[in-house]
């Protein structure tokens, strides 16, 4: 039997209306002769088959046990439902139903199933998972397995509960943002957070469905608000990812632990504490039931993706008929009235229908926030794959040496700006600097001809960590001052080739493992040093310096119509990098960040 993912379209058909699902054909000793129909409507699962699944009574045929792994947030309530079923002698085909629920991190389970993790102690068969049912917090984990084509078979059967992904803020910050009257899009919320230096925390998108869905919604919102994808939107998306990356935690519990524990001025002002969090409504519900300062929730007006807790059969071809029936029986129990009440009492929304007002109020939601909006469509599996890679690149610390042309032509005025090419270039570099964290390593060289004795280049600020302090100033402050101090060299020409070789040798020698290493050269001209290394010899040497295990792509940005884009292409390609032309120096920031992401993506794809 093949593996099936569950798309958001599939979710809609499996959690509302009169959709039906036939039972899976099982090739064990005999085929099942009865069709199971799952009718899922208004949050209720009906299992129809005369006499197959008993409602309760005497366990005249013994007990059938199944094990379930569930996301830690929903595992406690599922355990209570399973305990109730056991206490009330709920039966499946005359056998008592015994479901044991274990809290398991969804990302870890997905990784294990993707690698067909072997079972440990107990009665499980080696090479198979120890659980028959998996209820992760979201279908993105099921889809991840479905699209990988590897690992254990998983078969989603329906949605157990929902919880929208929102942004919760402490009272002072919520008031400052105009809560509850003012509503925001995802793009606006992250923009305001960046502008006001709001300490916004999140779960790590690489390990958390909440974080990944929020990142996807932010990207979609940025593109939608701009009327389409562009270099500008790439820059904004990278900036939003950097913002989230500054305060991420692996799990919701760890993210919530970054909030103040009390209302004292010291607690609230402590820079180590988050002032707002990206989290699920259910997580806010649970948090606000404690003694810590409560959160007020913003529900983005362009759609809040919702965690959907898919009920998923694991390796069902290897299950006995009794186990398969028991798993389906437990699914039906999760949709009965008592179970839905328990889920709601724990802060979860039913699979269909509007949100209970009491749940929303305790979670921190309030009208006119769009608390009942239809969940936004989630990203496709392909989009999620791209987001994961871009996130890894974004949060991976960078080591980038920036090389700026200061030849005389950089004094050329930019039409309509009242500034020179170098002025606009410096401003763009200063803006781009703000997109890097204190853990990133950035350096600065300048070049013209005969700038440092016989050398066409000069190291201005050694490549180092932006947050590192020396002599009372940080690396960021020193670099910012160095950008501002750059001036065109009167009558200076462009010594591009010797500079490219020297900086690349330096960057290759000082390669930092675990970081994205790159060289960025900005020039507005062609090589004008007659005594320099020839272009062909340069590219040969650059290729020889390259090492696939220590990639250092060179990114060349040709500024203006006089830049030798053809030579830049050859130089960059010899290192695995790329060259870009910008006619307006004001575009440098956007192109630079886009180029860095593209180069990092390419380097990651080529890594052995």
């Amino acid at each position: 039997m093949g593996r099936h993912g569950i798309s958001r379209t599939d979710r809609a058909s499996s959690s509302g209306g009169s959709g039906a699902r036939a039972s899976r054909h099982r090739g064990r000793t005999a085929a099942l002769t009865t069709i199971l129909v799952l009718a899922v409507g208004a949050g209720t699962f009906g299992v129809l088959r005369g006499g197959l699944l008993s409602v309760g009574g005497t366990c005249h045929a013994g007990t059938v046990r199944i094990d379930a792994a569930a996301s830690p947030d929903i595992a406690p309530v599922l355990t209570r439902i399973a305990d109730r079923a056991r206490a009330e002698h709920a039966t499946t085909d005359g056998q008592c139903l015994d479901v044991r629920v274990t809290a398991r991190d969804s990302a870890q389970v997905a990784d294990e199933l993707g690698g067909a993790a072997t079972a440990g102690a107990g009665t499980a068969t080696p090479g198979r998972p120890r659980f028959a049912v998996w209820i992760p917090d979201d279908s993105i984990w099921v889809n991840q397995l479905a699209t990988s084509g590897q690992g254990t078979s998983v078969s989603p059967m329906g949605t157990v509960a929902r919880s929208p992904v929102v942004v919760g803020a402490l009272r002072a910050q919520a008031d400052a943002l105009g809560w509850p009257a003012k509503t925001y899009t995802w793009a606006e919320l992250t923009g305001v957070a960046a502008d006001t230096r709001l300490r916004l925390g999140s779960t790590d998108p690489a390990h958390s469905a909440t974080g990944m869905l929020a990142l996807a919604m932010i990207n979609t919102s940025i593109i939608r608000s701009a009327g389409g994808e562009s270099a500008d939107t790439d820059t904004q998306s990278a900036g939003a990812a950097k913002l989230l990356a500054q305060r991420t935690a692996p799990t919701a519990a760890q993210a919530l632990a970054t909030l103040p524990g009390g209302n004292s001025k010291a607690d609230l002002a402590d820079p180590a504490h988050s002032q707002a969090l990206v989290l699920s409504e259910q997580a806010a519900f649970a948090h606000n039931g404690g003694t810590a300062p409560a959160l007020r929730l913003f529900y983005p007006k362009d759609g809040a993706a919702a965690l959907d807790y898919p009920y998923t059969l694991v390796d069902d071809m290897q299950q006995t008929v009794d186990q398969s029936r028991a798993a389906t029986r437990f699914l039906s129990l999760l949709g009965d009235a008592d179970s839905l009440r328990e889920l709601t009492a724990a802060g979860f929304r039913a699979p269909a229908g509007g949100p209970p007002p009491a749940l929303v109020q305790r979670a921190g939601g309030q009208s006119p926030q769009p608390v009942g909006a239809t969940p936004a469509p989630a990203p496709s599996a392909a989009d999620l794959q791209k987001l994961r890679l871009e996130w890894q690149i974004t949060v991976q610390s960078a080591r980038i040496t920036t090389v700026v042309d200061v030849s005389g032509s950089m004094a050329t005025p930019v039409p309509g700006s009242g500034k020179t090419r170098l002025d606009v270039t410096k401003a763009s570099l200063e803006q781009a600097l703000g997109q890097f964290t204190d853990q990133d390593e950035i350096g600065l060289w300048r070049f013209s001809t005969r700038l440092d004795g016989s050398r066409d280049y000069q190291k201005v600020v050694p490549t180092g960590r932006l947050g590192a302090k020396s002599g009372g100033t940080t690396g960021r402050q020193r670099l910012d001052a160095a950008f501002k101090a750059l001036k065109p060299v009167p009558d200076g020409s462009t010594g591009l080739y010797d500079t490219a070789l020297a900086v690349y040798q330096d960057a290759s020698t000082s390669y930092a493992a675990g970081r994205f290493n790159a060289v960025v050269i900005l020039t507005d001209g062609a090589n004008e040093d007659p005594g320099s290394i020839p272009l062909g010899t340069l590219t040969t040497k650059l290729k020889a310096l390259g090492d696939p295990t220590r990639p250092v792509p060179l990114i060349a940005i040709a500024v203006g119509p006089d830049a030798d884009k053809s030579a830049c292409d050859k130089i960059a390609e010899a290192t695995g990098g790329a060259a870009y032309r910008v006619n307006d120096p004001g575009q440098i920031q956007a192109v630079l960040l886009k180029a860095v992401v593209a180069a990092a993506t390419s380097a990651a794809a080529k890594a052995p």
Side-chain angles (χ1 to χ4, degrees):
M1 173 167 53
R3 189 187 303 110
H4 295 75
I6 179 168
S7 67
R8 295 287 166 162
T9 304
D10 295 331
R11 295 179 182 186
S13 64
S14 66
S15 61
S18 58
R21 184 188 298 270
S23 67
R24 320 240 343 186
H25 181 74
R26 305 184 184 282
R28 296 187 65 260
T29 56
L32 286 177
T33 58
T34 308
I35 295 176
L36 287 175
V37 179
L38 291 179
V40 188
T44 304
F45 300 91
V47 182
L48 308 178
R49 197 274 194 204
L52 175 64
L53 302 180
S54 308
V55 174
T58 305
C59 306
H60 59 80
T63 298
V64 57
R65 170 172 170 165
I66 59 169
D67 289 279
S71 177
D73 51 350
I74 202 169
V77 65
L78 296 183
T79 298
R80 292 195 292 273
I81 293 171
D83 289 347
R84 171 169 57 82
R86 192 162 45 251
E88 295 176 357
H89 302 294
T91 59
T92 167
D93 205 19
Q95 299 181 85
C96 269
L97 180 65
D98 183 11
V99 179
R100 304 290 172 150
V101 180
T102 302
R104 292 290 310 279
D105 178 79
S106 298
Q108 289 180 359
V109 173
D111 286 344
E112 289 176 12
L113 294 180
T118 57
T123 59
T125 302
R128 288 179 50 206
R130 288 185 297 238
F131 44 87
V133 172
W134 178 35
I135 305 171
D137 56 1
D138 194 76
S139 290
I140 68 169
W141 306 115
V142 181
N143 283 337
Q144 177 178 306
L145 286 168
T147 55
S148 71
Q150 299 178 354
T152 305
S153 171
V154 289
S155 306
M157 302 294 286
T159 293
V160 171
R162 293 185 186 275
S163 188
V165 177
V166 295
V167 175
L170 298 174
R171 180 168 185 171
Q173 284 69 38
D175 289 347
L177 293 173
W179 183 91
K182 188 167 178 57
T183 58
Y184 296 86
T185 65
W186 281 103
E188 289 168 346
L189 272 172
T190 52
V192 168
D195 292 343
T196 62
R197 299 187 180 276
L198 177 70
R199 299 196 295 271
L200 176 64
S202 173
T203 48
D204 186 346
H207 305 287
S208 158
T210 299
M212 178 53 70
L213 290 175
L215 184 63
M217 294 306 303
I218 291 167
N219 282 357
T220 300
S221 181
I222 287 171
I223 293 169
R224 186 186 295 125
S225 64
E229 197 165 2
S230 66
D232 243 6
T233 60
D234 289 343
T235 301
Q236 291 179 53
S237 295
K242 281 287 189 184
L243 175 71
L244 292 183
Q246 291 176 11
R247 306 184 74 87
T248 57
T251 67
Q254 289 168 299
L256 285 162
T258 67
L259 291 168
N263 283 305
S264 70
K265 286 185 178 180
D267 266 345
L268 297 175
D270 188 343
H273 289 154
S274 296
Q275 298 169 320
L277 286 180
V278 173
L279 75 173
S280 72
E281 181 184 67
Q282 191 279 332
F285 177 95
H287 172 82
N288 287 355
T291 59
L295 294 172
R296 274 70 173 169
L297 300 189
F298 288 91
Y299 294 73
K301 61 185 177 184
D302 52 351
L307 302 177
D308 68 344
Y309 302 91
Y311 190 94
T312 309
L313 300 185
V314 179
D315 205 12
D316 54 345
M317 278 288 287
Q318 302 302 318
Q319 294 177 22
T320 66
V321 172
D322 286 344
Q323 288 172 327
S324 297
R325 290 175 174 175
T328 308
R329 173 69 171 120
F330 188 51
L331 172 62
S332 73
L333 287 174
L334 294 179
D336 71 21
D338 287 341
S339 297
L340 290 176
R341 278 193 292 271
E342 288 201 56
L343 284 162
T344 300
F348 295 95
R349 298 188 183 191
L359 184 159
V360 172
Q361 182 177 6
R362 173 170 151 177
Q366 183 175 317
S367 180
Q369 292 292 317
V371 298
T374 302
S380 67
D383 287 340
L384 285 172
Q385 182 100 3
K386 181 181 176 184
L387 277 172
R388 287 190 182 100
L389 181 57
E390 290 182 352
W391 173 257
Q392 289 170 359
I393 293 164
T394 299
V395 300
Q396 182 184 38
S397 293
R399 179 179 174 82
I400 299 174
T401 302
T402 309
V403 189
V404 180
D405 187 345
V406 291
S407 61
S409 58
M410 289 294 281
T412 302
V414 175
S417 72
K419 297 179 180 179
T420 66
R421 286 178 184 170
L422 187 57
D423 288 335
V424 179
T425 297
K426 292 191 298 183
S428 291
L429 289 173
E430 289 172 39
Q431 288 177 324
L433 185 63
Q435 304 295 328
F436 293 95
T437 72
D438 284 350
Q439 301 307 312
D440 291 320
E441 298 179 358
I442 312 292
L444 174 65
W445 289 32
R446 65 179 189 136
F447 76 100
S448 180
T449 49
R450 307 293 186 269
L451 197 60
D452 183 17
S454 63
R455 296 188 181 95
D456 294 339
Y457 48 86
Q458 182 180 47
K459 186 182 293 188
V460 181
V461 177
T463 303
R465 193 165 60 85
L466 291 177
K469 286 189 175 182
S470 176
T473 60
T474 65
R476 186 184 301 276
Q477 290 168 328
R478 292 190 294 275
L479 197 59
D480 187 63
F483 282 148
K484 287 182 169 64
L486 290 175
K487 298 184 185 305
V489 176
D491 301 321
S493 299
T494 305
L496 177 61
Y497 297 167
D498 282 356
T499 300
L501 180 59
V503 71
Y504 197 74
Q505 287 173 325
D506 184 83
S508 298
T509 303
S510 60
Y511 178 89
R515 294 179 178 268
F516 167 62
N517 293 249
V519 170
V520 176
I521 296 180
L522 300 100
T523 181
D524 74 336
N527 185 69
E528 297 170 322
D529 183 355
S532 72
I533 185 173
L535 179 59
T537 306
L538 168 62
T539 56
T540 299
K541 286 182 175 290
L542 291 175
K543 288 177 183 177
L545 285 168
D547 180 347
T549 66
R550 296 160 57 94
V552 184
L554 185 150
I555 299 164
I557 299 181
V559 183
D562 301 323
D564 190 346
K565 173 65 161 50
S566 176
C568 287
D569 283 331
K570 291 181 174 66
I571 293 169
E573 288 169 5
T575 69
Y580 302 79
R581 182 185 293 281
V582 295
N583 291 319
D584 176 2
Q587 299 171 339
I588 288 174
Q589 180 200 8
V591 172
L592 174 59
L593 292 176
K594 182 177 181 179
V596 166
V597 171
T601 303
S602 177
K606 294 175 182 175

